[in-house]
Amino acid sequence: MRSNGGSGESASTQSPRNPSSQKAERPPVLKKFKAIEPDDPRHTPHFPGPLFPAVRRVTSLPPSSNRRASFDTDADKPSSVGDVTASNLNNIDVVNSLSDRDWMYPSFLGPHAARNRVVTVKAASRQPIRGGGERLVDRVESKVVDEKQQSNTPVNKEEVKIVASQVSTTMTERSSVSSWSARRILRMKLKRYFIFSVIIFSCIYPLTYVIHLRNKVERLEVENINLRRWCSETDVSNYNNEVLQPEDDSSYKIFGNADSKTVALYTVMFTLMMPFVLYKCLDYLPQIKIISKRTKPNKEEVPLKKRIAYMVDVCFSVYPYAKLLALLFATIFLIGFGGLALYAVTDRSLTEALWLSWTFVADSGNHADSIGIGPRIVSVSISSGGMLIFAMMLGLVSDAISEKVDSLRKGKSEVIEKNHMLILGWSDKLGSLLKQLAIANKSVGGGVVVVLAERDKEEMEMEIAKLEFDFMGTSVICRSGSPLILADLKKVSVSKARAIIVLATDENADQSDARALRVVLSLTGVKEGLRGHVVVEMSDLDNEPLVKLVGGDLIETVVAHDVIGRLMIQCALQPGLAQIWEDILGFENDEFYIKRWPELDGMQFEDVLISFPDAIPCGVKVAADNGKIILNPGDSYVLKEGDEVLVIAEDDDTYSPGPLPEVRRVSFPKVPELPKYPERILFCGWRRDIHDMIMVLEAFLAPGSELWMFNEVTEKERERKLIDGGLDISGLENIKLVHREGNAVIRRHLESLPLETFDSILILADESLEDSVVHSDSRSLATLLLIRDIQSKRLPYRDTKSTSLRLAGFTHSSWIREMQQASDKSIIISEILDSRTRNLVSVSRISDYVLSNELVSMALAMVAEDKQINRVLEELFAEEGNEMCIKPAEFYLFDQEELCFYEIMIRGRQRQEIVIGYRLANSERAIINPPKKSEQRKWSLDDVFVVISSGS
């Protein structure tokens, strides 16, 4: 064939006739190289080497060439193996295993002729071909034909058949090799198992046989003794003939005629050996099952040992008493099999052996009296097992006690209380809130307050202990848990609480309100329902409607930012009002109460006003109008059945209506309200609800007033935020916004402001620092010190200052004038969040008024005690409707006039006002709900009165 160089057709026709030639076409695989002639137009010479790295390319042979002849003689002709590469076929012809690759140079050296693509047929899978070989061959043939047609190459049927047969042969060989390997591994495992079983049997059988021989010797000795005794006696008939009867015993029947002791010994030994045998053979059981069922092995199947260990782990984790039951079973097992072993090696009965086994388990020292090797070995083994069991029992008991103590220490136990106050969350307001609740419960001998927060119980108790406050009989119970989890809510008896307070967190306002919303959703999901109402502290006024929508009528909201902002404005416009609000909101002095008094039905409000010696009526809760609360009603309003009276009193049990006092109803000339004058106010800092504060100022200030805004927010960003908050800047009629950009803690920035010209300066807790209470207070304190220092240098002489226009109406009020002229002309209202910083600033007297989160805590406690009070506070804080004011004495009396407080209240009704207290000129604090209202006394025009005015 080398010399003739026959064609591919002759080779293909001769191969089926001559079997030897067919074998010659499959020589061993050799590694050869193809030669490419430079004259061939389809090839271009290349230059191998590092300078021009060669690129391997796959080519194909012409369909009718003889592979061996073309390889030996016609090296310039391209070879072909169809569509199968050498990496997929291992035992094919040397030419076919040449992998159809030649070397070509990169395309940047010049053009070269395009070659036909080689279609590579990959083995579909390595699994054995069972009935699917024909389908695989058909797919290979169709694949080859399609690729030839796409490349416009004539299809050779013989070549297609050869390629398909080679693929089929390769797949069959690989499947047979893999199945043979699996069977070989399984045979090796079974062989090891058989050897292990033989070793165990060879160890057990001689031992049992020796024991059997020992028992047989003992019986023969007994028979020998009986025979000797029989021979020594004269009267043979007096003895039992059973001892002379031979026993049918054979050494090949171990269990056939063995006594009960031997059976017991075998049972014990077999039982003790079985766990070891099963442990070694557990992994072989699934394989034996697979062989018996002739199924395919699953490589991802978990071993049986791991599955059993997992089931035991799950059992101990899910069932709390599983460990105790396992220990009990181990104890019974040790006693039972220990008793059987003692019964086999001693002369005792089975019951005595079991009792003796129990004594060995209970007391390890009882085995010291054992005699003999067998009894001693068994007794030592039982005593060792007993010590192990008691050690495990001691560990379980210790763990149970430790877990219970740890549960109590961490606050995981259930609270069995009812009619208690429940606080959800933890914040800096908690201390002030607990203080107010304790004062409120003082009249009933104390109460129970439960705190549920995501903190450690010990940490919470330590923080509460640092308050150094006498709770006056009120118990504070802390529990660790999440208010978002129903199980934790049930743990604190949420359904039996008379009120629930949801505190805002110290994080961002939106995040805090979002968390409060989730807590409300969790509370609405309590199946038992809620007995009391829910008071939710909100951080942003815009998020309040959503919480009320979710909670319904049970929800009462207190917006901390809104309360502080409105109080700051009222205190800036009316100096001294902060101390009055502290007295009314807190439970230490006088506060609001609502109660029904049937004896007052049919009376007019002007008579009801003077009917309480120890309280001051402020409004009426109308039963006919769905419980609507009317503040400062008209004198002609008549109380109907079901109506309740809103009063300011010291406590809910310290007041009651009495007989009408004799009061002189003398008319007093009405002094007209003085006109409002324009004012100049400075805001240092930026709050989230600053647009609401501007709207309140728009309602209170006179036209021509100026509001200076000094912060680090750019002017465009300010306008955008104000518009997004709903403020119409162009619609402001009374105030003009003046923007200044700067840092309030940098002195040169503050010196650029006319600080000496402002009537009031409000230092706001900046929005950028709302996450950190300490940082915010530090910044406010620094700003306060800088402003006071700049003012003192610009206005060194206090007496030479000009009087503000708004002081003209209070010329006879030394207290108001003194408060307004304090600290170099302007009044500074500082927003301090931490009560500790508040006390520091108040003692140093560097700021006129300090408002902090303590006022919010007071409002929360008051609404928690009675949710109806929230309607009163909302109206008093609003820019419209009734408000709390400070009025001069000249509106109600003459200088040095002698009047009782009831008469001043009657004169206040002529101005549609309710007088609730006063402050004398020589006093430091105002008196709300004064005692001895019928007592006559002289009044000065320097005195001032606290009133609730309609604002009209």
Side-chain angles (χ1 to χ4, degrees):
M1 295 178 66
R2 292 179 182 272
S3 59
N4 296 335
S7 64
E9 295 179 358
S10 61
S12 62
T13 54
Q14 292 178 4
S15 57
R17 296 178 183 179
N18 190 2
S20 60
S21 63
Q22 188 174 359
K23 293 181 180 180
E25 292 180 357
R26 299 170 60 95
V29 179
L30 299 178
K31 188 174 181 181
K32 295 185 177 182
F33 299 89
K34 290 180 60 178
I36 303 176
E37 290 201 9
D39 297 334
D40 194 340
R42 292 175 302 172
H43 297 281
T44 306
H46 66 281
F47 305 94
L51 186 59
F52 301 101
V55 180
R56 303 190 66 182
R57 172 171 178 170
V58 182
T59 58
S60 60
L61 291 171
S64 61
S65 63
N66 187 294
R67 292 161 178 78
R68 185 178 301 273
S70 62
F71 178 78
D72 293 338
T73 59
D74 301 332
D76 58 330
K77 297 180 181 179
S79 60
S80 174
V81 292
D83 298 313
V84 182
T85 62
S87 59
N88 294 331
L89 300 176
N90 298 327
N91 299 319
I92 59 176
D93 186 68
V94 63
V95 179
N96 294 335
S97 65
L98 204 54
S99 88
D100 280 345
R101 298 179 185 270
D102 57 26
W103 295 90
M104 61 169 289
Y105 63 99
S107 58
F108 60 81
L109 293 179
H112 62 85
R115 298 167 185 249
N116 296 330
R117 292 178 55 195
V118 173
V119 181
T120 303
V121 180
K122 298 183 179 180
S125 69
R126 295 186 178 181
Q127 298 181 355
I129 301 176
R130 300 178 181 268
E134 296 180 359
R135 291 192 298 271
L136 179 62
V137 171
D138 295 339
R139 289 197 300 268
V140 171
E141 291 179 356
S142 61
K143 182 70 175 179
V144 173
V145 172
D146 293 341
E147 293 293 338
K148 292 292 185 178
Q149 292 177 356
Q150 292 177 4
S151 59
N152 297 326
T153 306
V155 180
N156 191 338
K157 295 183 179 180
E158 293 297 331
E159 183 179 356
V160 172
K161 289 182 179 179
I162 291 173
V163 171
S165 63
Q166 290 172 353
V167 172
S168 177
T169 304
T170 303
M171 297 302 297
T172 304
E173 290 176 355
R174 291 189 176 181
S175 61
S176 61
V177 169
S178 60
S179 60
W180 177 82
S181 301
R183 289 194 298 270
R184 183 171 176 270
I185 294 173
L186 185 58
R187 283 197 300 270
M188 292 177 62
K189 291 183 178 180
L190 292 177
K191 184 178 179 181
R192 287 198 299 266
Y193 171 71
F194 176 75
I195 295 173
F196 179 72
S197 302
V198 170
I199 293 174
I200 294 177
F201 182 77
S202 61
C203 294
I204 295 176
Y205 181 80
L207 181 61
T208 55
Y209 186 68
V210 168
I211 294 173
H212 170 70
L213 293 179
R214 176 180 173 276
N215 293 334
K216 186 175 182 180
V217 170
E218 290 179 355
R219 287 194 296 273
L220 290 176
E221 290 178 353
V222 172
E223 290 180 3
N224 187 16
I225 293 172
N226 291 335
L227 286 174
R228 290 182 180 181
R229 185 182 301 174
W230 179 78
C231 294
S232 62
E233 297 292 335
T234 55
D235 190 3
V236 181
S237 61
N238 293 334
Y239 292 94
N240 190 359
N241 294 329
E242 291 181 359
V243 298
L244 299 176
Q245 294 177 359
E247 295 181 359
D248 187 11
D249 192 7
S250 175
S251 60
Y252 298 100
K253 298 180 180 180
I254 298 177
F255 295 98
N257 298 320
D259 56 1
S260 58
K261 292 182 179 294
T262 305
V263 174
L265 184 60
Y266 291 159
T267 304
V268 172
M269 295 184 62
F270 180 76
T271 306
L272 292 177
M273 293 299 297
M274 280 303 297
F276 299 99
V277 176
L278 290 176
Y279 180 77
K280 296 295 293 184
C281 303
L282 278 178
D283 293 338
Y284 299 108
L285 294 179
Q287 297 178 4
I288 296 174
K289 181 180 178 181
I290 290 174
I291 293 175
S292 61
K293 293 184 178 181
R294 294 185 178 181
T295 58
K296 297 180 180 179
N298 188 6
K299 295 182 179 180
E300 299 181 357
E301 186 176 1
V302 181
L304 187 58
K305 290 181 183 179
K306 291 186 178 180
R307 279 185 286 170
I308 294 176
Y310 172 74
M311 293 173 62
V312 173
D313 186 22
V314 170
C315 181
F316 284 164
S317 301
V318 174
Y319 302 101
Y321 299 103
K323 295 180 180 179
L324 186 61
L325 292 177
L327 184 62
L328 179 62
F329 175 77
T331 305
I332 296 174
F333 176 83
L334 181 60
I335 294 173
F337 285 90
L340 285 178
L342 289 174
Y343 174 70
V345 299
T346 61
D347 296 334
R348 300 175 184 272
S349 62
L350 181 60
T351 55
E352 293 179 352
L354 290 174
W355 176 254
L356 186 62
S357 176
W358 159 246
T359 59
F360 290 162
V361 172
D363 187 1
S364 59
N366 288 335
H367 70 281
D369 298 334
S370 300
I371 301 175
I373 298 177
R376 287 180 177 176
I377 294 176
V378 175
S379 61
V380 169
S381 301
I382 298 174
S383 299
S384 301
M387 289 188 290
L388 180 61
I389 286 178
F390 272 92
M392 295 172 61
M393 184 180 298
L394 182 62
L396 289 179
V397 173
S398 177
D399 290 343
I401 296 175
S402 300
E403 184 178 354
K404 188 63 178 177
V405 173
D406 187 65
S407 176
L408 295 174
R409 181 176 58 85
K410 292 185 177 181
K412 296 181 180 179
S413 59
E414 185 177 359
V415 175
I416 310 299
E417 294 287 348
K418 61 180 180 180
N419 199 30
H420 59 283
M421 192 74 66
L422 177 60
I423 301 176
L424 303 179
W426 186 278
S427 70
D428 296 328
K429 307 180 188 69
L430 183 64
S432 302
L433 181 59
L434 292 176
K435 179 181 177 181
Q436 296 300 322
L437 293 176
I439 297 173
N441 295 328
K442 180 182 177 181
S443 59
V444 295
V448 178
V449 179
V450 181
V451 180
L452 177 65
E454 299 181 35
R455 302 185 69 178
D456 215 12
K457 177 176 177 287
E458 294 180 343
E459 183 181 355
M460 291 188 286
E461 292 176 347
M462 290 178 61
E463 291 291 336
I464 294 175
K466 292 179 181 178
L467 298 176
E468 297 180 355
F469 173 75
D470 184 14
F471 288 99
M472 295 169 288
T474 298
S475 301
V476 180
I477 302 173
C478 298
R479 288 293 180 265
S480 180
S482 175
L484 303 177
I485 302 176
L486 290 178
D488 292 342
L489 291 176
K490 294 180 179 179
K491 182 173 62 178
V492 293
S493 300
V494 64
S495 59
K496 299 179 181 178
R498 63 185 174 95
I500 303 170
I501 303 176
V502 181
L503 293 180
T505 59
D506 296 332
E507 54 190 354
N508 182 271
D510 291 332
Q511 296 177 357
S512 177
D513 291 347
R515 185 180 182 278
L517 178 62
R518 293 197 298 268
V519 173
V520 172
L521 288 174
S522 300
L523 292 174
T524 56
V526 177
K527 296 181 179 180
E528 296 81 2
L530 299 178
R531 176 182 176 183
H533 60 283
V534 182
V535 183
V536 183
E537 179 193 359
M538 305 294 295
S539 299
D540 195 342
L541 186 63
D542 297 333
N543 300 326
E544 183 183 16
L546 182 59
V547 175
K548 287 187 175 181
L549 177 64
V550 173
D553 297 335
L554 290 176
I555 302 299
E556 296 292 337
T557 58
V558 176
V559 185
H561 266 56
D562 183 56
V563 171
I564 295 296
R566 293 175 184 271
L567 279 176
M568 290 185 71
I569 293 176
Q570 291 186 10
C571 294
L573 298 178
Q574 302 185 62
L577 196 60
Q579 175 257 319
I580 297 173
W581 270 116
E582 288 181 358
D583 293 342
I584 292 179
L585 290 178
F587 286 96
E588 291 180 330
N589 299 299
D590 295 88
E591 54 273 355
F592 291 103
Y593 292 100
I594 300 178
K595 189 180 293 186
R596 167 163 169 71
W597 301 98
E599 57 267 36
L600 299 180
D601 292 346
M603 294 181 60
Q604 292 184 349
F605 185 75
E606 62 177 353
D607 295 331
V608 174
L609 190 64
I610 58 177
S611 298
F612 293 88
D614 300 317
I616 296 180
C618 300
V620 177
K621 180 181 178 182
V622 183
D625 196 6
N626 296 325
K628 181 181 179 180
I629 297 177
I630 301 177
L631 277 174
N632 189 16
D635 291 340
S636 60
Y637 180 84
V638 179
L639 267 70
K640 302 178 180 60
E641 183 180 0
D643 289 352
E644 301 179 23
V645 181
L646 170 68
V647 302
I648 295 179
E650 184 179 358
D651 209 340
D652 58 350
D653 57 352
T654 60
Y655 72 98
S656 62
L660 289 177
E662 295 182 2
V663 181
R664 294 179 301 172
R665 298 179 181 269
V666 179
S667 61
F668 183 79
K670 185 176 181 181
V671 179
E673 294 281 351
L674 294 177
K676 296 180 181 180
Y677 293 94
E679 300 184 30
R680 177 178 287 187
I681 298 177
L682 172 65
F683 280 0
C684 287
W686 184 273
R687 287 170 53 99
R688 295 174 58 87
D689 58 344
I690 199 169
H691 55 278
D692 294 325
M693 298 179 66
I694 295 176
M695 294 174 66
V696 174
L697 282 176
E698 171 70 14
F700 284 154
L701 294 180
S705 300
E706 291 183 359
L707 174 60
W708 289 54
M709 303 177 66
F710 179 71
N711 49 67
E712 297 183 71
V713 182
T714 61
E715 184 175 351
K716 292 184 179 180
E717 185 69 13
R718 295 179 198 178
E719 295 180 355
R720 185 187 65 81
K721 289 185 177 183
L722 293 176
I723 294 175
D724 292 342
L727 178 65
D728 185 11
I729 301 178
S730 60
L732 296 176
E733 298 178 356
N734 296 333
I735 61 176
K736 173 185 177 182
L737 297 181
V738 180
H739 297 281
R740 290 293 184 271
E741 185 176 348
N743 194 335
V745 295
I746 298 178
R747 186 181 183 90
R748 66 175 183 275
H749 291 178
L750 290 173
E751 288 178 346
S752 63
L753 300 174
L755 297 177
E756 68 278 3
T757 63
F758 293 110
D759 298 299
S760 299
I761 299 176
L762 277 68
I763 301 177
L764 310 177
D766 203 271
E767 178 186 11
S768 60
L769 303 175
E770 62 183 4
D771 297 341
S772 176
V773 174
V774 177
H775 195 183
S776 177
D777 286 356
S778 301
R779 185 182 181 90
S780 299
L781 184 59
T783 304
L784 174 62
L785 294 173
L786 289 174
I787 292 176
R788 281 302 183 208
D789 184 60
I790 295 174
Q791 287 181 339
S792 63
K793 291 182 178 180
R794 291 183 180 180
L795 297 173
Y797 300 104
R798 181 174 175 179
D799 296 336
T800 60
K801 296 182 301 180
S802 60
T803 305
S804 176
L805 289 176
R806 69 172 173 184
L807 294 178
F810 300 95
T811 56
H812 300 289
S813 177
S814 61
W815 176 59
I816 295 181
R817 183 171 62 253
E818 190 174 301
M819 294 301 295
Q820 289 180 335
Q821 292 178 353
S823 302
D824 298 329
K825 179 162 185 308
S826 61
I827 299 172
I828 298 182
I829 309 297
S830 304
E831 180 182 5
I832 303 297
L833 304 180
D834 194 350
S835 59
R836 294 169 294 184
T837 311
R838 171 188 177 276
N839 297 332
L840 176 64
V841 177
S842 299
V843 170
S844 61
R845 299 182 181 271
I846 59 176
S847 179
D848 298 293
Y849 303 101
V850 179
L851 299 177
S852 67
N853 286 330
E854 189 171 0
L855 290 175
V856 180
S857 301
M858 294 177 180
L860 288 173
M862 184 170 289
V863 177
E865 290 292 334
D866 190 355
K867 68 176 184 179
Q868 304 174 102
I869 304 300
N870 198 22
R871 306 289 177 269
V872 180
L873 299 180
E874 287 177 353
E875 182 172 351
L876 291 178
F877 289 151
E879 61 270 16
E880 296 180 356
N882 290 277
E883 60 179 343
M884 196 171 296
C885 304
I886 298 176
K887 296 296 180 70
E890 59 187 14
F891 286 178
Y892 313 99
L893 49 86
F894 299 105
D895 190 19
Q896 300 301 318
E897 185 177 3
E898 189 172 349
L899 298 170
C900 68
F901 191 76
Y902 278 138
E903 293 174 346
I904 296 176
M905 293 176 65
I906 294 299
R907 292 184 179 183
R909 293 304 299 167
Q910 299 177 9
R911 304 175 59 88
Q912 294 297 317
E913 297 171 351
I914 298 178
V915 182
I916 64 174
Y918 62 86
R919 185 185 188 278
L920 300 178
N922 55 357
S923 178
E924 294 183 356
R925 297 186 66 88
I927 299 175
I928 305 299
N929 183 28
K932 301 179 181 181
K933 298 180 179 62
S934 301
E935 183 178 351
Q936 298 285 329
R937 60 167 302 165
K938 290 184 178 181
W939 302 91
S940 170
L941 292 181
D942 292 332
D943 300 332
V944 293
F945 291 92
V946 182
V947 302
I948 295 178
S949 175
S950 61
S952 58

